[in-house]
Amino acid sequence: PAEYANYAPWIEVLAVDPYPVQRTANLHRVGEYVAQAREAVQDAKPVWVVPQAFGDYSSWSVPTPAQERNMTYQALIEGANGLIYYTYRDRSFHMEDYPELWAAMKEIVAEVGELMPLFLGPAHTGIRFQSGPQGVVRCLAIEHENHLTLLAVNTSEQDLGELELRTAS
């Protein structure tokens, strides 16, 4: 992230790959990296994210389906306009060995496909806000074709229980 601004003037798309699922997950990094990338390109160029879709290496764990969904929605909420699911296929990792993750990824891609009109443009517009303890719930409210869509994701590994989100009228 410290180098994003150095690349921003010379690129067409800034793609970031925060691989947060290690022996201890740091899921919040996905949203942080995207926010820093958007700041670096000053919302003038697209930001794409490569959510971690591999693991079982010395430093990376295999994401759970919930973690994969979390990374995807953090990226979208923070302003990513593109997603690239990159996975290895080698002696340590092969997606076919993780059918639950693969099934979840296909569901996530279908969901994002349905929401795609909300995320078109260099930096989709909407109102971003935080909720929950220390702002760990990241939210985005987008109005599109007279409909309001609210996306929210818990960026921590803690179960926050029920949480009430209020909008001002």
Side-chain angles (χ1 to χ4, degrees):
E3 299 295 319
Y4 292 167
N6 293 334
Y7 292 100
W10 314 108
I11 50 108
E12 296 298 320
V13 173
L14 181 56
V16 299
D17 54 354
Y19 298 151
V21 184
Q22 299 172 350
R23 296 299 169 220
T24 57
N26 298 301
L27 289 179
H28 60 89
R29 287 187 7 200
V30 174
E32 291 170 2
Y33 278 35
V34 175
Q36 291 171 342
R38 283 184 51 244
E39 185 177 317
V41 299
Q42 300 176 359
D43 291 336
K45 297 178 181 178
V47 172
W48 293 359
V49 176
V50 184
Q52 181 180 338
F54 63 88
D56 212 13
Y57 295 91
S58 61
S59 57
W60 290 299
S61 299
V62 177
T64 66
Q67 288 171 325
E68 197 69 50
R69 182 177 306 284
N70 188 297
M71 288 184 280
T72 298
Y73 280 96
Q74 273 192 65
L76 294 172
I77 287 169
E78 291 300 331
N81 334 75
L83 298 164
I84 301 171
Y85 292 99
Y86 175 80
T87 183
Y88 292 106
R89 182 178 177 183
D90 59 21
R91 282 180 251 136
S92 295
F93 185 84
H94 182 42
M95 184 60 78
E96 288 181 358
D97 295 335
Y98 300 90
E100 206 173 285
L101 177 59
W102 179 236
M105 290 182 69
K106 290 189 282 186
E107 288 176 17
I108 294 166
V109 168
E111 288 172 17
V112 171
E114 288 180 26
L115 296 171
M116 193 178 321
L118 302 176
F119 303 116
L120 299 176
H124 51 271
T125 57
I127 299 170
R128 289 180 181 81
F129 60 99
Q130 302 171 13
S131 187
Q134 291 85 42
V136 297
V137 178
R138 305 294 297 187
C139 307
L140 174 66
I142 301 176
E143 187 175 349
H144 179 72
E145 296 181 353
N146 297 320
H147 295 281
L148 181 65
T149 300
L150 175 65
L151 301 175
V153 64
N154 177 3
T155 63
S156 78
E157 291 287 319
Q158 294 180 284
D159 181 351
L160 300 176
E162 287 190 28
L163 191 68
E164 185 174 305
L165 301 174
R166 294 182 185 203
T167 59
S169 50

